[in-house]
Amino acid sequence: ICCTVRGDLIKGLRSILQRSVANGQRLDGVIIETTGLADPAPVAQTFFADDYVQARMVLDGIITVVDAKHVLQHLREEKPEGVENEAVEQIAFADRILLN
């Protein structure tokens, strides 16, 4: 998912939770994958922005998949002032880093 579609993410999480309750099935977890070099902060904040989701889900961690062949190129990439380097942001936010 794109990091900017928080409303859709909340709607999707609510739907998953409601279906699991309706079916009498316990939900073990949800894995959310963002697209490419996306800022993980808005996705993480989703778990604290909605009372319904916050009461029923816990953000357990953030895993970042790093392209080992191109990671240094992305980390060294110079951005215009005021623009964050998404690769740096993803790695900084990660609880675990998975090298691909």
Side-chain angles (χ1 to χ4, degrees):
I1 63 166
C2 176
C3 60
T4 59
V5 202
R6 193 175 349 182
D8 287 345
L9 177 56
I10 290 171
K11 186 176 166 183
L13 292 173
R14 283 174 165 247
S15 175
I16 290 169
L17 287 165
Q18 291 165 353
R19 276 188 283 159
S20 71
V21 169
N23 293 334
Q25 297 176 336
R26 184 177 177 277
L27 186 62
D28 291 328
V30 175
I31 296 175
I32 299 169
E33 180 183 4
T34 61
T35 57
L37 288 171
D39 180 2
V43 175
Q45 290 169 351
T46 299
F47 290 88
F48 309 104
D50 183 81
D51 292 338
Y52 183 85
V53 172
Q54 185 178 17
R56 292 161 180 81
M57 292 185 145
V58 174
L59 178 61
D60 187 43
I62 296 175
I63 300 171
T64 297
V65 179
V66 174
D67 178 355
K69 183 176 180 180
H70 299 103
V71 67
L72 290 178
Q73 172 189 344
H74 289 297
L75 291 175
R76 292 178 179 148
E77 197 173 303
E78 301 251 350
K79 298 286 186 176
E81 186 157 340
V83 177
E84 297 295 328
N85 181 321
E86 293 88 356
V88 171
E89 292 290 310
Q90 283 187 345
I91 291 172
F93 247 87
D95 296 302
R96 302 270 193 284
I97 298 171
L98 178 62
L99 290 175
N100 179 17

